[in-house]
Amino acid sequence: MINPCTESPRSARRAWSGTVQRLFESLDLQERETAAEISESLAVFCEQFSYVPGHTLSLLMARSFCAVGDRAAADRILRHDRAHRSHADSWLDVLSAEYPFPELYPLFSSRALHPLRLQTVGSQTVWVLDFGRVLLTDADRHEIILLQTLRTLTEKVSNVWKKSNGQGTLAVKGLSRLSLAARPRSAQNLPDYLRHVLARRAALCGWPSIPSVLLLDL
């Protein structure tokens, strides 16, 4: 992958633009009406970073096509990427223009938030929130503001259930490690707190259903 730290901003942008264009050509998307514009905008975005993983670049490309209404192109990109093809439909739902992608992007790019299929919950897509991959400061982990940290993250994540009107499951991973900052009694109540936050979000959004909470690291 390109390392813009070793190149000038202009050459880095040109290199990223070429990378995206080659990916478009491999997927036969280069003739799409918005392909050139998307290629340039992605190059401008990517040059800010020293490294952009392939799975993240696929999400960025798919999001760009979703934002201009070309769901078919976005679907082709996601199904080409091994990290996303099994859950392409779930990704397409949350990459549409109506979702707050900038807020969720850090969680998506770090794989802290990603879809999963579990037979125990049927055909519904489960969204996994892995606290082991969430970048939290020491202050975020302090017991005094731990609940505020959890509330903010859960409220952001709840946006993935807009289309299903709250029907779905939040699978939480790494909560036991995060809860070490809390007193034992408080730690035991953290799953219930997440359920409370989701119930409140469902009420505010007018959803008929409330996402359930499933712990993956009991």
Side-chain angles (χ1 to χ4, degrees):
M1 200 58 76
I2 299 165
N3 184 356
C5 292
T6 62
E7 305 181 54
S8 67
R10 181 174 296 182
S11 61
R13 184 180 303 179
R14 190 163 50 244
W16 274 115
S17 181
T19 296
V20 175
Q21 287 175 13
R22 286 191 293 274
L23 286 171
F24 285 174
E25 290 172 2
S26 68
L27 297 174
D28 198 23
L29 297 173
Q30 73 276 14
E31 299 300 327
R32 285 301 212 267
E33 183 178 352
T34 56
E37 181 181 344
I38 289 175
S39 174
E40 185 60 24
S41 64
L42 286 177
V44 172
F45 179 82
C46 290
E47 69 174 339
Q48 306 173 60
F49 304 97
S50 60
Y51 176 70
V52 178
H55 69 85
T56 299
L57 187 58
S58 294
L59 287 183
L60 289 170
M61 290 192 296
R63 160 65 180 184
S64 297
F65 278 110
C66 279
V68 296
D70 194 341
R71 187 182 173 99
D75 181 71
R76 192 178 302 177
I77 291 168
L78 292 169
R79 295 188 187 281
H80 176 73
D81 193 309
R82 185 169 54 184
H84 306 308
R85 63 172 61 124
S86 299
H87 311 288
D89 291 337
S90 298
W91 281 118
L92 284 172
D93 287 342
V94 301
L95 293 178
S96 62
E98 65 188 80
Y99 284 80
F101 183 76
E103 285 188 16
L104 293 174
Y105 171 73
L107 297 175
F108 289 157
S109 63
S110 65
R111 299 286 290 168
L113 180 63
H114 59 89
L116 181 70
R117 297 283 184 185
L118 291 176
Q119 292 184 347
T120 53
V121 299
S123 60
Q124 294 180 4
T125 299
V126 176
W127 282 91
V128 178
L129 178 58
D130 185 352
F131 284 102
R133 292 178 177 267
V134 177
L135 297 178
L136 297 175
T137 65
D138 290 339
D140 292 329
R141 296 173 183 272
H142 195 281
E143 183 177 8
I144 295 176
I145 60 172
L146 178 59
L147 294 184
Q148 180 180 344
T149 301
L150 290 176
R151 177 179 59 78
T152 300
L153 278 172
T154 306
E155 287 177 348
K156 286 183 179 181
V157 170
S158 69
N159 286 293
V160 301
W161 292 292
K162 274 188 175 182
K163 185 175 180 179
S164 66
N165 288 317
Q167 190 171 16
T169 300
L170 172 64
V172 183
K173 188 176 181 181
L175 187 62
S176 57
R177 281 176 35 187
L178 186 66
S179 65
L180 292 177
R183 289 189 291 267
R185 191 171 205 179
S186 299
Q188 292 174 4
N189 292 334
L190 290 182
D192 287 337
Y193 180 72
L194 296 182
R195 295 183 181 97
H196 170 74
V197 174
L198 290 173
R200 186 170 179 272
R201 287 289 293 167
L204 288 173
C205 296
W207 294 339
S209 301
I210 302 173
S212 58
V213 175
L214 175 67
L215 300 183
L216 294 182
D217 53 351
L218 293 174

